[in-house]
Amino acid sequence: MTVGIRPATPADHQAIEQVENDADQLLIDRFSPARWEPAPTGASRAAEPGFLLVLEGGEQQGVIGFVHVITNGPLAHLEQLAVRVDHGRRGHGGRLVDAAKFEARNRGHRTLTLRTYADIPWNASFYAKRGFVEVESRTEFHRGLAAVEERLGLPAWGRRILMEAVLR
């Protein structure tokens, strides 16, 4: 299967939402929450400052993954990475992370941050293999992200951390 990464277009918005809802099923299965918020719309993601890249699996597959990076002045933050469950463990997530790092660097950012679960195998350890290290929140922007996670109840399912990669 030939895959390609490209900037998202409005035609991808529905698929982006579907991919995220599909990928979230892994967390739902792990945590068994009474309620889980559905994914934001692709259009709402695209409206935020930053960029949205999609991974296509060819004409038959369509969008099989995406990465969403939000920016706030000099800060670039990987807000969401999602790959359809039936396309997992094939290196697609790593390709999307590499593409996000490349694009952020090309846009003049020196680092890329993200927030994730520390102890879920496909979270912090996945990112650590791609050059991310755990860091303390140093900005109001990052503290604000942690506050949103608190309001959503995400820490109930495990320790949340901030990670950062230096873009070279």
Side-chain angles (χ1 to χ4, degrees):
M1 168 178 52
T2 303
V3 297
I5 297 174
R6 61 170 174 76
T9 68
D12 301 316
H13 291 172
Q14 184 176 359
I16 288 166
E17 183 178 352
Q18 290 170 339
V19 166
E20 185 171 354
N21 282 324
D22 180 66
D24 278 355
Q25 193 60 50
L26 292 172
L27 293 172
I28 293 166
D29 291 347
R30 183 177 183 96
F31 301 143
S32 299
R35 185 177 185 313
W36 191 267
E37 289 294 321
T41 66
S44 67
R45 286 199 178 282
E48 294 186 69
F51 58 91
L52 190 55
L53 304 174
V54 295
L55 176 79
E56 283 187 308
E59 287 183 29
Q60 299 297 325
Q61 298 293 323
V63 173
I64 58 173
F66 75 91
V67 63
H68 178 208
V69 174
I70 56 175
T71 56
N72 183 321
L75 303 173
H77 183 80
L78 195 160
E79 176 63 21
Q80 183 67 33
L81 170 70
V83 174
R84 280 184 13 205
V85 173
D86 63 343
H87 284 80
R89 305 201 48 83
R90 298 182 193 177
H92 298 320
R95 285 184 197 93
L96 284 162
V97 170
D98 290 345
K101 290 167 74 176
F102 181 82
E103 181 66 22
R105 182 177 53 250
N106 282 347
R107 291 176 179 228
H109 298 283
R110 294 183 175 180
T111 61
L112 181 63
T113 59
L114 60 88
R115 292 194 54 82
T116 194
Y117 286 104
D119 303 314
I120 294 178
W122 62 87
N123 277 200
S125 62
F126 167 84
Y127 292 111
K129 292 175 188 169
R130 283 146 189 89
F132 287 84
V133 295
E134 184 175 351
V135 294
E136 293 297 318
S137 293
R138 298 181 297 266
T139 69
E140 193 60 38
F141 173 76
H142 291 112
R143 287 187 287 277
L145 293 174
V148 168
E149 290 177 357
E150 284 285 334
R151 280 195 304 278
L152 293 173
L154 297 184
W157 311 114
R159 187 170 67 95
R160 301 284 298 172
I161 61 173
L162 178 68
M163 299 183 84
E164 178 180 79
V166 174
L167 304 176
R168 302 180 199 275

